Amino acid sequence: MRLDVVIRYIGMVLQFIAAFMLAAAGVSMHNDFDSGFYPLLLSALITASLGLFPMIFVDRSEEIKTKEGYAIVVGSWLVACIVGTFPYLIWGGEFSAMNAWFESVSGFTTTGASILNDIESLPQGLLFWRSATAWIGGVGVVMFALVILPSMGHSRHMLSSQELSSIAKDNFHYRSKVIIRILIFVYLSLTICTALLLRYEGMSWYDAINHAMSTCGTCGFSTKNSSIAFYDNLNIEIILIVAMVLSGMHFGVLYATITGRRNNIFRSEIIRVYLGMMAIISIIIAISLFSDNIYDSFGEALRHATFQVASITTTSGFATADTNTWTPIAVILLIFCMVVCGCAGSTSGGLKVDRLVISAKVIRNRIKIQQHPNAVLRVKVGGVVQDNATQSLVTTFVIAYILLTLIGTFVYTLFGCDLETGFTATIACMSNVGPGFGDVGSLDNYSNLPAALKFTSTALMLIGRLEIFGFLQIFFLNSWK
């Protein structure tokens, strides 16, 4: 593997990130040069310098090998998270080295978990940078950078292939260059529309843009300590529900819907399961909350249930209520949503609805084969036959997810967390949801966890964001032939 080539392309990603730091510094400047200005400006200069050196001293390469592609993608995520700590560390406050690393990783992986006890005490520029990390991470650090990089030929295809999970590619029937444009077009359109609607409903431009970036990145970073509960506005909640649900759908399907193609949201089996699952769970939770007198009316119970189901299923992590006070059946169903999450090809994390559907059909066929040993059965999703390789990948991913959940829960409980906190924190970090239950509930944060658990949490965030094997693969590069 040519390490110099890997470093050169990571340097290009750093230039891209430095541009967003400058934009955040611009927000600080507009806010009368608040205390975030110099930390952001200095961080932008340092990041740009780090990215510039390999671009100057390493020759450009048009061809990238598969091993190098993995190294560039994983390396870009790790380096982005490292340089993302610079503004926090220089600013100070609650940001120790570990806390800055936690907040940076949480943003770039769109997890939305936080160590901040007083979000509103941060200067506007730093809060904008926090939201920007979520927006960059939403569609992928490398995928975003590819938009502004020079023409890269086969290299562009290699990097975009490594960034997209294998199951997400099924609905992208385009060349890699077109796929990148589709992703950015849908992402930008969703963000702009969400920001405009939030502004129309009374948010300031600053809050509207920050929440739009965080919503479409399915991160859940808010500019308010009490998250969306601060506004107590039904119209704002409806706008965010729609934006979150759309952001949790396959962007290729959204593009097909906009352009009038056949593989749209009205024909997609996965979308039907995704929407149906959220609707049914929302109604069951609402009935449970109303029956237990947690809310005075069924309408209020349905309002909060629908928002939290959409927030958790799409891995956005916004909150309008303290879910720690909800009924056991509501908690169990929300944990199910934390595991499954949105669709492949979206900004959501988790197992994905696609894998849930394929796994269910594999189990169904297994039962039928037990009854009819000579039967030849195929697994179809949306009329498309899923080959054995795809079924094997899905099964392997589910097994790996379960094993990592058990390991993560063990580590959390080893350091003194109760079972509810440890189990849900593991799932929340690995599925990039953010809030869990217990000590890391929807209106709590991760600030009281020991440093070892904060680091464990960030490792789970990165593993989940890079679809488990995409991250683990980097440790076995030397064994590649």
Side-chain angles (χ1 to χ4, degrees):
M1 183 175 70
R2 297 167 297 173
L3 187 60
D4 55 338
V5 173
V6 174
I7 294 174
R8 174 182 170 81
Y9 283 105
I10 293 176
M12 292 180 178
V13 173
L14 289 180
Q15 296 293 319
F16 172 75
I17 293 172
F20 272 83
M21 289 180 177
L22 278 177
V27 173
S28 288
M29 184 173 65
H30 183 265
N31 192 42
D32 298 326
F33 290 91
D34 64 31
S35 60
F37 176 74
Y38 290 108
L40 287 163
L41 181 62
L42 183 57
S43 299
L45 293 174
I46 294 172
T47 303
S49 299
L50 290 173
L52 190 60
F53 282 112
M55 291 176 64
I56 294 174
F57 296 108
V58 178
D59 293 333
R60 177 178 174 178
S61 175
E62 289 292 341
E63 296 298 322
I64 296 178
K65 300 174 183 177
T66 303
K67 185 190 297 188
E68 293 165 351
Y70 272 111
I72 291 169
V73 170
V74 179
S76 294
W77 279 96
L78 292 174
V79 172
C81 292
I82 291 170
V83 300
T85 66
F86 293 170
Y88 301 137
L89 288 172
I90 297 172
W91 187 78
E94 293 185 69
F95 293 111
S96 63
M98 180 53 68
N99 283 352
W101 168 252
F102 186 98
E103 204 74 10
S104 179
V105 174
S106 181
F108 278 113
T109 59
T110 74
T111 304
S114 182
I115 49 77
L116 293 172
N117 291 303
D118 189 6
I119 295 170
E120 295 173 39
S121 67
L122 267 65
Q124 285 194 0
L126 206 60
L127 280 177
F128 182 85
W129 166 244
R130 186 169 173 260
S131 298
T133 60
W135 199 62
I136 296 168
V139 79
V141 171
V142 177
M143 197 69 71
F144 245 129
L146 288 176
V147 177
I148 61 170
L149 297 184
S151 178
M152 295 166 60
H154 177 69
S155 300
R156 183 185 294 272
H157 171 72
M158 177 64 69
L159 292 179
S160 62
S161 295
Q162 304 300 348
E163 182 75 85
L164 276 172
S165 67
S166 57
I167 198 168
K169 298 171 188 174
D170 292 341
N171 284 310
F172 279 124
H173 306 293
Y174 309 96
R175 291 177 292 112
S176 60
K177 189 174 182 179
V178 179
I179 290 175
I180 296 168
R181 290 177 180 174
I182 290 172
L183 283 169
I184 302 303
F185 169 76
V186 174
Y187 200 44
L188 279 172
S189 299
L190 276 174
T191 306
I192 293 170
C193 290
T194 303
L196 290 174
L197 289 170
L198 291 175
R199 175 67 181 117
Y200 178 77
E201 284 301 327
M203 279 193 185
S204 67
W205 276 115
Y206 176 77
D207 284 346
I209 292 171
N210 273 273
H211 282 96
M213 289 196 296
S214 189
T215 300
C216 296
T218 59
C219 176
F221 276 162
S222 176
T223 56
K224 306 299 180 183
N225 289 329
S226 54
S227 190
I228 305 304
F230 172 86
Y231 298 98
D232 192 22
N233 185 311
L234 178 59
N235 290 337
I236 286 176
E237 291 170 23
I238 291 172
I239 291 167
L240 291 176
I241 288 171
V242 173
M244 289 187 292
V245 170
L246 290 175
S247 298
M249 294 181 184
H250 195 295
F251 280 14
V253 176
L254 289 179
Y255 181 78
T257 305
I258 295 169
T259 56
R261 298 174 185 268
R262 285 183 57 82
N263 56 324
N264 53 55
I265 60 175
F266 304 105
R267 294 176 176 269
S268 171
E269 179 183 358
I270 298 300
I271 299 299
R272 287 197 298 271
V273 173
Y274 169 67
L275 295 176
M277 177 185 76
M278 285 193 290
I280 293 170
I281 290 176
S282 296
I283 293 171
I284 294 174
I285 290 178
I287 293 171
S288 172
L289 297 178
F290 179 61
S291 300
D292 212 51
N293 296 317
I294 292 178
Y295 294 106
D296 294 332
S297 68
F298 180 75
E300 188 181 5
L302 184 62
R303 170 185 173 181
H304 290 292
T306 303
F307 188 91
Q308 292 305 138
V309 168
S311 179
I312 288 178
T313 303
T314 62
T315 73
S316 298
F318 285 125
T320 59
D322 184 2
T323 53
N324 272 333
T325 64
W326 285 12
T327 61
I329 189 170
V331 172
I332 291 171
L333 289 173
L334 288 176
I335 291 174
F336 173 78
C337 293
M338 289 168 62
V339 173
V340 177
C341 301
C343 307
S346 70
T347 57
S348 296
L351 283 179
K352 306 287 195 308
V353 175
D354 308 63
R355 292 191 179 97
L356 175 69
V357 171
I358 292 174
S359 298
K361 292 189 175 184
V362 167
I363 293 171
R364 180 197 63 189
N365 283 0
R366 183 69 263 173
I367 294 172
K368 288 184 176 180
I369 287 175
Q370 291 287 93
Q371 299 170 344
H372 308 284
N374 296 322
V376 178
L377 303 174
R378 295 182 176 87
V379 173
K380 291 185 179 181
V381 177
V384 178
V385 176
Q386 305 297 308
D387 57 30
N388 291 334
T390 299
Q391 295 176 46
S392 177
L393 283 171
V394 168
T395 303
T396 305
F397 187 94
V398 172
I399 293 171
Y401 186 96
I402 294 171
L403 287 175
L404 285 169
T405 299
L406 293 174
I407 293 170
T409 303
F410 172 77
V411 174
Y412 271 95
T413 54
L414 189 66
F415 282 88
C417 287
D418 60 84
L419 185 59
E420 181 184 37
T421 299
F423 179 64
T424 59
T426 299
I427 296 173
C429 289
M430 195 159 61
S431 290
N432 307 128
V433 173
F437 292 92
D439 295 338
V440 293
S442 56
L443 295 182
D444 296 298
N445 59 37
Y446 289 67
S447 61
N448 292 326
L449 295 181
L453 286 186
K454 288 177 182 176
F455 184 80
T456 300
S457 299
T458 58
L460 290 170
M461 293 175 198
L462 286 164
I463 290 171
R465 183 62 182 86
L466 288 164
E467 299 268 310
I468 300 179
F469 298 106
F471 180 82
L472 298 179
Q473 195 72 253
I474 198 69
F475 298 104
F476 301 96
L477 291 179
N478 288 333
S479 65
W480 287 29
K481 300 297 182 181

